[in-house]
Amino acid sequence: MSRLEAGDAAPDFTLTDDEGNEVSLESFRGKRVILYFYPAAMTPGCTKQACDFRDNLGALTAQGFVVLGVSKDKPAKLQQFRARDALTFPLLSDVDLDVHKAYGAYGEKTNYGKTVMGVIRSTFVIDGDGKIEKALYNVKATGHVARLVKELGIS
């Protein structure tokens, strides 16, 4: 598994969102994108993280950011997640894990003391030219968005 670093080109992708639409990273050129990978919709940690992004979305969009969440869940489950928690940003389905792997967000991780293969909770800030500004791996669900907002200088 290779990890991305600041300055690397962000791997392009086209994924299906929770409404069945195709969404490509390329369509956001000129905008800064916060792309985050989470293990599973409607689980406690992932819900906390998604709601934190939702609650900070106004400040993020005011600074020109677009937020995209990616998981291995099917679009129908993402639609339920979005509706249940009033999420106001696109949730993208990567059932085959191809995009997860391209970003280094799937691989070996330690879970309760055991090494397992799985989704590595990760966040990437991508600039308007499609370059990685920040690559954050193994982030915590709680407090991550507040830390990111602070690091990006957003109030």
Side-chain angles (χ1 to χ4, degrees), residues 43-56:
T43 58
C46 297
T47 297
K48 172 68 175 143
Q49 186 179 24
C51 289
D52 282 350
F53 272 114
R54 177 201 64 204
D55 295 346
N56 286 280

Side-chain angles (χ1 to χ4, degrees), residues 78-154:
L78 296 177
Q79 191 172 44
Q80 291 174 334
F81 186 34
R82 189 171 187 190
R84 185 192 77 176
D85 294 300
L87 302 177
T88 52
F89 54 88
L91 300 175
L92 308 178
S93 174
D94 183 27
V95 176
D96 298 328
L97 298 168
D98 292 337
V99 179
H100 283 75
K101 291 174 183 173
Y103 279 82
Y106 183 84
E108 280 190 4
K109 65 180 189 175
T110 303
N111 197 12
Y112 300 108
K114 290 175 36 179
T115 300
V116 297
M117 293 296 288
V119 175
I120 299 164
R121 191 182 303 273
S122 308
T123 300
F124 303 88
V125 179
I126 303 166
D127 71 17
D129 295 323
K131 298 279 188 203
I132 301 288
E133 284 184 40
K134 287 185 177 291
L136 306 168
Y137 291 94
N138 296 309
V139 300
K140 302 290 184 207
T142 302
H144 170 62
V145 176
R147 173 184 155 208
L148 186 62
V149 165
K150 184 177 180 182
E151 285 182 13
L152 293 172
I154 298 169

